[in-house]
Amino acid sequence: MALVVQKFGGTSVADPQKIVAAAKKAIARQQGGHQVVVVVSAMGHQTDVLVDLAKAITDRPSAREMDMLLSTGEQVSVALFAMAIQSLGHKAVSLTGAQIGIRTDSTHTKARIKSISTDHVKSLLDSGAIVIAAGFQGIDQNGNITTLGRGGSDTTAVALAAVLDADLCEIYTDVDGVYTTDPRLLPEARRLGSISYDEMLELASLGAGVMHSRSIEFAKKFGVKVLVRSSFKDVPGTVILSAEESTPRPASGVALAKDEARITLENVPDQPGSSHALFSRLAASGIAVDMIVQNVGQGGRADISFTVPADDVPEALELSGAVAKQLGASGVSHDAELAKVSVVGVGMERAEGVAGRMFTALSAAGINVRMITTSEIKISVLVDKSDAQAAVQAVHRAFGLDAETAEGEADVAGSHLVKSSPLEVVRRLEGMEDLAIEDCQLDASQALVTFTELPDTPGVAAEVFEELGRAGLNVDMIVQSHPRDGRAEISFTVPAGDRDKAIVAAQKIASARGAAVADVPHVAKLSITGVGIRSHAGVADRLFKPLADCGINIDLVSTSEVRLNVVVAAEHGQKSLEVLRKAFGL
């Protein structure tokens, strides 16, 4: 007998009629021969009502009491949902997070799951009941109620699917699947029939909004097949699965993060330990950094730029100023009026000219690029917030996402999960949301080329990579640091065998624009892949500290949700690999 976990969000259970309609979907699944666990959010806007009640009492409610208060929203929903199933003549039992056995750490309002008991839920399922589980909540080691933060019900659903070895996790929501971009922003967006975990992780972390990134981390870590579908329309939805099972497209979607703030430490001494000094302080304060760009040092100095959510800017600026003073940097600058536009696709790595197409589209729209960072499946750029919507539209059209038939049937046949041995199941229940680093790899076959003194004008990146494309060069990492004094710096890596050809092309580009070219014939690129790289605040520091302790300087950095790339001198490549593999327990 197959097991299915269904999750219904707040809009899907907003009133009694919608609760009954959702209950009928759960009953239909059970009558189709499945055991069913239903995860329910608070009724639509109920959480907002509770928050307003707290604010009417005090401007600074304690985090513990907010968890106690907000958890009642889901308790109302599960009880009503169970009553609805019972009124339709079927057996149902509602459970709070504590009754299920969801154990978390003690970080109130944004707790992480440590383990989940399964015995009670399994016994209820075996008795023929539909189990109605409260999303968004758990209990810590001291018996305190905790909540999981934004997207917590999605996280509950996928986590339960993982530990119960469910065959499918259905996410019912007010949208009918995952789109190539936000259809509210761009009406010509198309629904995708399927998308890979890594693509969805990137899109979720970039503000796609359909599912929260923590739930996708669970899905990838434990191999849970997830189906996103509408509560109100009978359409196939979008299935989220492994890269091997998904369609490899150069571009599957375009995401917009509207409230990015850029902070730059200027003229930092280009020496081992500079990055560690900065990111250890940020990690200690729980600030999760997104884009990290460190340019190639010139004259013994380099700039380190990074982005944080707008809410974290005051604290991040204060910490950055202290570090800048400690390191002897010339100062700190920032810009809070920026947005990040990203194109994501698992087929990007094997497709030519993806970066050029993106930069050309932005150039044609007259949009200036402030920063660039890339990974194997994502290209992200910072643009002025006022240009954000036009940038999404331009990039979306450049990759034909408005015209191609992105729809298709969501294939949910069969079970993706490999059933686990008892020992593996026990191990699954330990540290469920811990950082999971899968691998660290060394690529010593690349050369690094850097443009300095490029004019900071719309279209420069497009011109550079169009020219490189015409020269037949296959570019890997691309990093553009924050422009200063009207000039930008762009670095990229190519196979070492193409170094001479790259220098010829680069010098031609530079001479036409009053820029200069520098290169390193052989460099080492270290790539760390895993789950939770962005959502765990201390990952960057765990990378920078061991390298600094060994006196290894970092020449270039690029980041993404599932991968962190650094470039070091070729002679330090093997040592860096050994150091990082040890640091991440590989």
Side-chain angles (χ1 to χ4, degrees):
M1 180 181 289
L3 193 156
V4 174
V5 174
Q6 297 181 319
K7 179 260 177 178
F8 293 92
T11 56
S12 303
V13 292
D15 56 47
Q17 292 73 30
K18 289 178 180 176
I19 290 174
V20 171
K24 290 178 179 177
K25 293 180 186 295
I27 292 168
R29 266 295 185 188
Q30 188 187 52
Q31 290 182 324
H34 300 86
Q35 291 184 322
V36 180
V37 175
V38 177
V39 175
V40 184
S41 298
M43 297 172 70
H45 304 297
Q46 182 63 30
T47 300
D48 294 337
V49 171
L50 294 172
V51 169
D52 289 342
L53 282 172
K55 288 180 178 178
I57 299 294
T58 173
D59 291 334
R60 301 181 65 184
S62 75
R64 182 192 183 280
E65 300 310 327
M66 283 302 295
D67 277 356
M68 181 70 78
L69 176 66
L70 295 181
S71 65
T72 64
E74 279 70 26
Q75 191 168 334
V76 170
S77 296
V78 293
L80 292 174
F81 206 104
M83 292 175 193
I85 290 176
Q86 293 162 2
S87 72
L88 294 167
H90 297 268
K91 186 177 179 181
V93 177
S94 64
L95 300 173
T96 65
Q99 289 172 321
I100 296 166
I102 298 178
R103 295 285 176 176
T104 74
D105 63 21
S106 298
T107 311
H108 286 289
T109 73
K110 49 183 177 182
R112 287 186 177 274
I113 296 174
K114 305 301 292 182
S115 66
I116 300 179
S117 303
T118 58
D119 292 346
H120 187 36
V121 172
K122 284 181 176 179
S123 67
L124 290 171
L125 291 171
D126 290 341
S127 73
I130 297 174
V131 175
I132 318 300
F136 180 64
Q137 62 182 252
I139 190 171
D140 72 5
Q141 70 273 18
N142 298 316
N144 296 305
I145 292 175
T146 57
T147 63
L148 306 181
R150 182 182 168 210
S153 292
D154 286 344
T155 302
T156 302
V158 180
L160 281 171
V163 297
L164 292 169
D165 277 341
D167 297 270
L168 181 65
C169 181
E170 294 179 310
I171 304 294
Y172 284 94
T173 182
D174 55 356
V175 298
D176 56 5
V178 179
Y179 277 69
T180 52
T181 195
D182 187 343
R184 294 168 297 184
L185 191 67
L186 207 62
E188 55 263 43
R190 297 287 183 267
R191 181 175 54 80
L192 296 163
S194 66
I195 190 169
S196 72
Y197 295 129
D198 284 353
E199 289 172 314
M200 194 65 222
L201 265 172
E202 298 288 4
L203 292 172
S205 71
L206 296 166
V210 176
M211 290 187 69
H212 195 248
S213 58
R214 280 171 65 186
S215 62
I216 306 301
E217 288 177 4
F218 268 119
K220 180 182 179 182
K221 187 185 290 187
F222 298 112
V224 179
K225 185 175 287 187
V226 178
L227 178 62
V228 181
R229 64 194 317 174
S230 171
S231 292
F232 312 116
K233 293 192 290 186
D234 187 17
V235 295
T238 302
V239 65
I240 307 170
L241 31 66
S242 68
E244 293 75 21
E245 295 173 294
S246 64
T247 303
R249 295 174 287 258
S252 289
V254 179
L256 171 65
K258 297 178 182 178
D259 297 311
E260 291 284 301
R262 184 269 311 160
I263 297 174
T264 300
L265 274 69
E266 299 176 348
N267 293 316
V268 178
D270 187 22
Q271 61 192 23
S274 294
S275 296
H276 164 57
L278 172 63
F279 293 107
S280 62
R281 293 287 295 275
L282 295 169
S285 294
I287 297 174
V289 174
D290 185 8
M291 291 174 76
I292 300 174
V293 171
Q294 178 175 321
N295 66 345
V296 175
Q298 304 291 327
R301 297 274 171 168
D303 290 352
I304 303 175
S305 298
F306 61 95
T307 62
V308 294
D311 291 346
D312 288 332
V313 169
E315 186 176 6
L317 273 176
E318 182 179 346
L319 293 170
S320 298
V323 173
K325 185 176 181 179
Q326 170 192 332
L327 295 175
S330 65
V332 176
S333 65
H334 81 287
D335 187 346
E337 293 300 314
L338 297 171
K340 181 173 66 172
V341 177
S342 304
V343 61
V344 174
V346 291
M348 186 180 294
E349 191 174 9
R350 294 181 295 277
E352 294 184 2
V354 175
R357 285 169 70 181
M358 181 176 187
F359 301 148
T360 298
L362 294 171
S363 173
I367 296 168
N368 200 17
V369 174
R370 303 296 182 184
M371 267 173 47
I372 301 169
T373 185
T374 65
S375 76
E376 282 69 7
I377 68 165
K378 182 185 75 170
I379 303 171
S380 291
V381 299
L382 281 187
V383 300
D384 291 338
K385 190 178 291 188
S386 58
D387 290 329
Q389 183 161 347
V392 170
Q393 186 174 50
V395 174
H396 194 266
R397 288 177 177 172
F399 288 98
L401 296 175
D402 57 334
E404 72 176 32
T405 305
E407 294 185 62
E409 295 302 311
D411 179 15
V412 295
S415 172
H416 174 61
L417 287 173
V418 177
K419 298 301 179 184
S420 306
S421 69
L423 176 60
E424 289 172 325
V425 171
V426 170
R427 290 180 63 190
R428 277 187 172 191
L429 302 179
E430 298 173 353
M432 293 186 66
E433 285 201 83
D434 289 352
L435 174 69
I437 297 298
E438 299 167 356
D439 201 6
C440 179
Q441 295 181 334
L442 168 65
D443 181 356
S445 66
Q446 298 201 31
L448 175 64
V449 180
T450 299
F451 291 98
T452 59
E453 299 297 314
L454 279 167
D456 179 30
T457 55
V460 168
E463 293 168 2
V464 166
F465 290 99
E466 283 174 0
E467 190 71 32
L468 294 174
R470 283 192 288 269
L473 291 164
N474 185 21
V475 175
D476 182 13
M477 281 178 69
I478 301 171
V479 169
Q480 177 182 319
S481 58
H482 166 60
R484 284 204 289 131
D485 303 321
R487 293 284 168 171
E489 180 177 302
I490 299 178
S491 299
F492 62 93
T493 61
V494 294
D498 288 339
R499 179 254 180 183
D500 292 342
K501 186 164 60 172
I503 291 298
V504 170
Q507 288 176 338
K508 178 182 176 183
I509 295 166
S511 62
R513 293 163 182 81
V517 175
D519 83 295
V520 182
H522 294 282
V523 295
K525 172 187 167 187
L526 286 302
S527 297
I528 295 171
T529 55
V531 178
I533 286 176
R534 182 172 177 270
S535 61
H536 286 74
V539 176
D541 184 50
R542 284 180 65 181
L543 177 141
F544 295 130
K545 184 180 187 303
L547 294 178
D549 289 345
C550 291
I552 297 172
N553 200 27
I554 296 170
D555 294 325
L556 209 65
V557 181
S558 70
T559 58
S560 78
E561 183 73 25
V562 297
R563 192 180 296 256
L564 221 172
N565 295 326
V566 296
V567 170
V568 301
E571 62 267 25
H572 296 315
Q574 189 60 43
K575 179 64 175 178
S576 298
L577 179 65
E578 294 169 5
V579 165
L580 292 178
R581 290 186 69 84
K582 181 179 179 181
F584 286 99
L586 298 173

